[in-house]
Amino acid sequence: MRAQRQWSRQEIVAGLRGLGPWFHNIDLHGVPTAPDHFLGDYPAFKWRGFAAAVPDDLTGRTVLDIGCNGGFYAMEMKRRGADRVVAVDSDERYLAQARFAAEVLGHDIEFRRMSVYDVAQLGEKFDLVIFMGVLYHLRHPLLALDLLHRHAVGDLLLFQSMQRGPDAVAAVAPDYDFDEQAHFDQPDYPCLYFVEDRYAGDPTNWWIPNRAAAEAMLRSAGFEIVAHPEREVYLCRRSHAAAGHPPPAL
Ligand SMILES: C[S@@+](CC[C@H](N)C(=O)[O-])C[C@H]1O[C@@H](n2cnc3c(N)ncnc32)[C@H](O)[C@@H]1O
């Protein structure tokens, strides 16, 4: 076990300033990384809303956090006793923040720069995969879920996506006649809104599901929803093989 370095407040402040701006507000021994976050104390306030749905004791379990950003959730999983936590993000700037936070707080986490599309390279399935806040940043969201099912999720998937549209789910028939079109006009029919340019000033927002689409995509990719602790958050269990064709090798 590594001896833990003692960090002075000055060192922490200088370190986090050099790595900013931060999206995750993390308490580094009393120094917040993003005290002026536009969402408030994010993601701590969000975590409080669904923390009870995640197993309290992760002793002996492995966790993969995809799109880990500043590492908030990866570190929470270590706090719950996870044996091994691997945290990946496609953006090196966020990984540098997460490495710094984990070092200051003394959490042993394996960080890797990796896109969700390359998850097969890990060559391993994890007991719990966290896939929060990433789906709508992808040009190929269903492919990502298919790849997670095939290569990464051994048991549980903790999923979150921004949702727009109504918080209601239409009863969908197994099939419709070619001439039947009324269901496409129902706002609670599964729908992905495509963002061609940007949304909320962010050009990396591509496909935003309504609630019905988020849930249907999870099921279609082979995940059973076992808990829905808050509007956008789902705890899922790996179930049957994905409904679609096998995803192409990337
Ligand atoms: C909105 S943040 C969510 C961060 C964190 N998971 C949370 O829920 O607070 C999206 C994160 O996903 C990362 N990301 C975007 N596209 C990705 C991809 N293709 N593979 C892995 N990470 C990606 C971004 O760099 C960013 O850190």
Side-chain angles (χ1 to χ4, degrees):
M1 195 193 245
R2 259 185 303 151
Q4 211 196 310
R5 174 182 161 186
Q6 296 298 309
W7 291 77
S8 71
R9 189 179 172 86
Q10 261 181 330
E11 285 174 320
I12 294 173
V13 170
L16 75 85
R17 278 205 187 129
L19 296 169
W22 290 64
F23 179 64
H24 276 178
N25 188 38
I26 298 168
D27 182 346
L28 299 180
H29 298 309
V31 185
T33 55
D36 303 320
H37 199 292
F38 70 105
L39 292 171
D41 185 13
Y42 180 89
F45 83 87
K46 198 166 178 67
W47 170 233
R48 282 194 289 277
F50 63 89
V54 179
D56 207 31
D57 182 5
L58 292 171
T59 308
R61 311 271 204 107
T62 57
V63 178
L64 172 64
D65 183 5
I66 298 180
C68 65
N69 200 269
F72 178 92
Y73 291 112
M75 291 188 283
E76 287 301 324
M77 298 306 108
K78 282 307 278 188
R79 285 202 181 97
R80 291 193 174 200
D83 265 22
R84 182 156 166 261
V85 177
V86 178
V88 308
D89 202 290
S90 54
D91 190 326
E92 187 53 49
R93 290 167 307 162
Y94 290 134
L95 283 170
Q97 295 177 355
R99 281 194 193 96
F100 178 72
E103 198 182 332
V104 170
L105 296 177
H107 293 299
D108 183 14
I109 294 170
E110 296 167 42
F111 291 104
R112 286 185 59 169
R113 183 174 187 186
M114 174 179 279
S115 168
V116 63
Y117 300 123
D118 297 322
V119 75
Q121 288 176 12
L122 293 172
E124 177 179 354
K125 284 204 171 82
F126 294 78
D127 297 315
L128 170 64
V129 172
I130 300 175
F131 190 52
M132 306 261 307
V134 184
L135 186 92
Y136 52 92
H137 288 302
L138 303 176
R139 285 181 67 88
H140 310 289
L142 196 55
L143 172 63
L145 289 177
D146 284 349
L147 290 168
L148 289 181
H149 186 275
R150 181 185 277 201
H151 299 291
V153 180
D155 185 17
L156 295 173
L157 172 72
L158 180 63
F159 171 85
Q160 183 264 338
S161 172
M162 167 165 51
Q163 291 177 7
R164 289 296 179 262
D167 186 27
V169 179
V172 176
D175 194 6
Y176 293 89
D177 271 359
F178 187 73
D179 290 332
E180 261 186 274
Q181 298 181 19
H183 53 285
F184 290 116
D185 296 326
Q186 286 178 231
D188 53 356
Y189 185 79
C191 175
L192 282 175
Y193 301 99
F194 178 63
V195 181
E196 184 179 356
D197 194 357
R198 45 184 75 207
Y199 177 62
D202 186 342
T204 76
N205 287 324
W206 291 109
W207 293 99
I208 306 173
N210 62 9
R211 175 179 167 184
E215 295 180 6
M217 288 170 74
L218 286 167
R219 284 192 301 271
S220 176
F223 296 107
E224 179 198 354
I225 296 167
V226 293
H228 184 197
E230 68 164 53
R231 180 180 158 133
E232 297 183 341
V233 178
Y234 297 88
L235 186 70
C236 305
R237 179 154 271 131
R238 185 179 202 281
S239 61
H240 56 80
H245 295 288
L250 284 177

